[in-house]
Amino acid sequence: MTQHASTAPSTRPEGAAAPALQRQFVNFSFHRLDHSFRRLGDNEKFQARSEFLQLFQAPRPGLMCLTYSTVGLKADCDFLLWRISYSSDDFQKQTQAMNKSRLGAYLTQTHSFLSMTKRSVYIDKLDPFHTPESRTHIIPGKRKYLFVYPFVKTRDWYLLSVEQRQEIMDVHIRVGNKYPSVKLNTTYSFGLDDQDFVVAFETGEPKDFLDLVMELRETQSSKYTQRDTPIFTCVQTPMENILDQLF
Amino acid sequence: MTQHASTAPSTRPEGAAAPALQRQFVNFSFHRLDHSFRRLGDNEKFQARSEFLQLFQAPRPGLMCLTYSTVGLKADCDFLLWRISYSSDDFQKQTQAMNKSRLGAYLTQTHSFLSMTKRSVYIDKLDPFHTPESRTHIIPGKRKYLFVYPFVKTRDWYLLSVEQRQEIMDVHIRVGNKYPSVKLNTTYSFGLDDQDFVVAFETGEPKDFLDLVMELRETQSSKYTQRDTPIFTCVQTPMENILDQLF
Amino acid sequence: MTQHASTAPSTRPEGAAAPALQRQFVNFSFHRLDHSFRRLGDNEKFQARSEFLQLFQAPRPGLMCLTYSTVGLKADCDFLLWRISYSSDDFQKQTQAMNKSRLGAYLTQTHSFLSMTKRSVYIDKLDPFHTPESRTHIIPGKRKYLFVYPFVKTRDWYLLSVEQRQEIMDVHIRVGNKYPSVKLNTTYSFGLDDQDFVVAFETGEPKDFLDLVMELRETQSSKYTQRDTPIFTCVQTPMENILDQLF
Amino acid sequence: MTQHASTAPSTRPEGAAAPALQRQFVNFSFHRLDHSFRRLGDNEKFQARSEFLQLFQAPRPGLMCLTYSTVGLKADCDFLLWRISYSSDDFQKQTQAMNKSRLGAYLTQTHSFLSMTKRSVYIDKLDPFHTPESRTHIIPGKRKYLFVYPFVKTRDWYLLSVEQRQEIMDVHIRVGNKYPSVKLNTTYSFGLDDQDFVVAFETGEPKDFLDLVMELRETQSSKYTQRDTPIFTCVQTPMENILDQLF
Amino acid sequence: MTQHASTAPSTRPEGAAAPALQRQFVNFSFHRLDHSFRRLGDNEKFQARSEFLQLFQAPRPGLMCLTYSTVGLKADCDFLLWRISYSSDDFQKQTQAMNKSRLGAYLTQTHSFLSMTKRSVYIDKLDPFHTPESRTHIIPGKRKYLFVYPFVKTRDWYLLSVEQRQEIMDVHIRVGNKYPSVKLNTTYSFGLDDQDFVVAFETGEPKDFLDLVMELRETQSSKYTQRDTPIFTCVQTPMENILDQLF
């Protein structure tokens, strides 16, 4: 498990001043198409499709947006927009464009997880070469699968000493490092949304991720999980193909 | 974290009679536009828009109402009305006007948190200059972001002695005071709605608020949180611009 | 807090035979108007309004029905019917009439709490003059606000001895008696509905009720609360005015 | 409380071979009418009504089906079909007929509890005369009220010794026997549906049932209740009258 | 209870290299037909039916798909597709075809459980002859009933030693082996979906399965169940007959 964003390690001596890095907003936005859209005429559907694809091809400076399909794999949603920007306004501008489109009149945002990047407070002793940039900037990969879920730790966790938590995280990180095909992106939602963190795992090998999560259940860190659902299996898919799957 | 409304400190010697200050009703009212509205003709949408804007520009003596957008940031709602008045009738009159409008025929109130102002029972020793007025009157600021959530404390909290609670709150307040960019408004819902309190944080710096909430997790007060969700990230936005985002 | 219905005191020596008083059924029935109703023509709305008002003015012997508005104050409902009768058939007959009306084709019952009156098993030593009748008959007042919620006690509560429970209730009752502006009506739902009790507080002073509930949090009885939500703030309003608020 | 079906006592010496009695499937199927049905023309409603009544009058060999109204008494449902058969196919055949009817295009099954009959493992020492047949066959009565709820016991319960459980059940049964007007039907859902049991109480006296449930709260068995909601108050009503209540 | 897929035993000495067996994706996909479909004309329904049946008869190389009816037995769904494939793409392709069909414009996926096959970590000492293939490949049977539910174990379970868990599973397996008519298929969802496992029991004798689950409640393994709902009773039914049941 390679680590990015806020769970990555620090090479900086503790206590040294951190370079001032601008933190990013991150939004995992899940959408579902009202099935009544499928009852429209072919021409109407074709026009809605063209307009929506154009909307997604239009340049949106400052906004990074990756598209994933959940069609057939998760009830209550059809696709995910993984959005990253220095400004939350960029998310709202894109949603505004979607709302004004023909397809937008049949779309519902069924889940939204809002978060920000932040340096990890834990030190990954096994991988001391990550730069500060790698920790505060999401670099979404090109892997097929993305596994996303909101994550809430028990209040007891936060009342452990820093040393106790570091010790528990050491084991957690050691298990993660056995699965190099899995890349973790952790972002922070404290106060911004219902969860503490949003975790997003990228991999080409779902079975590795499954085995990793199962192995982590046996570590002490598992005891301090309050909630880690709903879990979404998402398949990286161009918007064009997502629309093909939908109507 | 500057404090307003009921969590602000008291300069009055304990036991002294408090001046009789009229308490306010507060309502956080979240609304969602039915997406079928977007399927209407341009003319119909234009008329609905004009009428709704007029409705929000009409004077409503006694009612303070701030508008926030949640478009794209939170599933299940599009905007928030933060309403403050000495009479709950003023909330009902405004909702009546909305219900009678064209847009109102497509709006649903998806969440409503009702509360009242009240003096805090805790003393903020670090900031003893607030007047009683500042504690029982909401003075909404001009900051971009508002973070709102209902808050329920465990029953164990209320069975602690006043001294134990003051001690725990001292630490809580000390952490809060490290984040002067964040302004807290606490109002009380006991018996009026499902939560004990509604807390509303105003700030221009979401990352400061995130860091504040994360730091508070490590204080003892955290143990006594029963529920602090759903959490809403709201962006102060004129109603005109909210409607632009919606259709 | 004056007490009525089943929480009222007994002047009868324990063990003496109680007079045979007929117990009442009580139903708190919350309704929401489908917002599509607002899209109908003015004439259609006017007719639906007239018909519905007539329905509520028609005499229903045996049924006492008070109407309360929750418009703008609680998501998911618009008004409450507080219904009291010796026969549950009377509730069904009134609902039948509503179902057959034009407005009824757009109304949904979103919450229903069913209960019966019953003598309290606790003795209010501070107010020994209530007659048995006052305990088994609801006498709804003329106060502006009604606060209603379903109430479930922990199973531990029921396994305390009668003496322990009476002692805890003594403190509870003593706190309540400090708030004479608040009138409590407790009814019993064991086996009839999801809660143990439905509690309904009438007052003209919401702030007194808020302060009362907050003060009760610090009593031992608070520990034995399993669930006391959802809480509804209801405003006594003639049906004519409720319809004015709705369309 | 007289006991039927699986909670009834055994006269057979323990260990003796039980006669091979065929066990029944039981289904508590709750339905709600979409309120848009009420907006149809009178003729259309009349035809839908006639067709649906015919459907319920048609003989269904092997299927016992009792009809109950919940109109006005419980949100989210209008009527209950209490269905009993040796084959689950009979339930599906009846639902098929409903689905094909005009009214069926406006009906939603909002709750379904599926279970089977089974001998009780507990011995009712106070009533040793029930035959094995009475325990594995539901004999629905002619009483006005039926109180139905799904029932889940804590896992701790199942880890008590058989003796401990019998002792606790003895007290439970003793309390039940004080209320002869209440007839209990217990059926088993382990593995077939979300609950352990479905309990259905028949009585003409709701107040007796209420008092019985309240008295049972004070017995040890109460501690081992994990969930006993939602609770439905159902009134035995011919389908003809249910339809009268609905439109 | 015969065991298949991942709960089956291992004959391989522990530590020996396992043959590289390709693991399968499994999806339990539940669907509900919008009741408004039933209001369409006969011709439209007939065409939708023909098209949908063709879709299900078309060869889908690599995809195994079994169809089950839940009509009348479980609220909120009408049928289940039990899908098995080496590639999750096959699930999405089939859903795409359904989405493009006329009936698909009225279908909602109400539940989806996604999982993969995996060898069990527990050894079934009573049945040491299963081959590795039997453990990583689902071989769906021809039995009438399928009982499906998502399964989450407590975190405490995973912190027991391997020996403690094996000991508890030995008892669990011993009870299961008393019910040879019940065939268990366990698949793994860690990180892919909200549950740890999806368990699917095939049998011709629901009463045996009910008795098995009830007996398992009394074993220690029962203590470590966090969640095992919702439970679905599914009846193996050709798609043609499912459509007959629906409209």
Side-chain angles (χ1 to χ4, degrees), chain A residues 89-201:
Chain A
D89 296 350
D90 290 335
F91 303 153
Q92 298 205 297
K93 278 180 205 152
Q94 190 192 40
T95 301
Q96 173 169 337
M98 290 168 65
N99 282 344
K100 285 181 188 304
S101 75
R102 290 167 209 223
L103 200 68
Y106 294 87
L107 286 174
T108 302
Q109 188 191 38
T110 54
H111 300 272
S112 172
F113 305 125
L114 185 67
S115 56
M116 294 188 81
T117 53
K118 184 178 166 73
R119 289 157 192 277
S120 174
V121 297
Y122 304 107
I123 303 174
D124 181 344
K125 295 164 185 158
L126 300 177
D127 183 0
F129 300 106
H130 278 176
T131 63
E133 283 73 17
S134 77
R135 279 174 282 124
T136 50
H137 285 69
I138 297 282
I139 306 163
K142 296 292 173 205
R143 289 155 191 182
K144 179 174 180 180
Y145 289 96
L146 182 74
F147 299 95
V148 180
Y149 53 88
F151 190 43
V152 182
K153 290 195 166 238
T154 63
R155 298 291 163 126
D156 280 345
W157 168 258
Y158 296 102
L159 297 176
L160 293 180
S161 73
V162 171
E163 290 71 28
Q164 285 172 305
R165 282 183 273 167
Q166 179 67 52
E167 205 174 304
I168 290 168
M169 287 308 290
D170 283 349
V171 177
H172 186 97
I173 290 167
R174 203 175 305 132
V175 171
N177 284 335
K178 291 166 60 179
Y179 295 85
S181 71
V182 178
K183 181 184 156 201
L184 165 59
N185 302 279
T186 302
T187 52
Y188 294 68
S189 292
F190 294 87
L192 274 56
D193 209 338
D194 301 1
Q195 62 282 341
D196 294 353
F197 306 94
V198 187
V199 288
F201 297 85

Side-chain angles (χ1 to χ4, degrees), chain B residues 106-125:
Chain B
Y106 294 87
L107 287 174
T108 302
Q109 188 190 39
T110 54
H111 301 272
S112 171
F113 305 125
L114 186 67
S115 56
M116 293 188 82
T117 54
K118 184 177 166 72
R119 288 154 194 279
S120 174
V121 297
Y122 304 107
I123 304 175
D124 181 344
K125 295 164 184 157

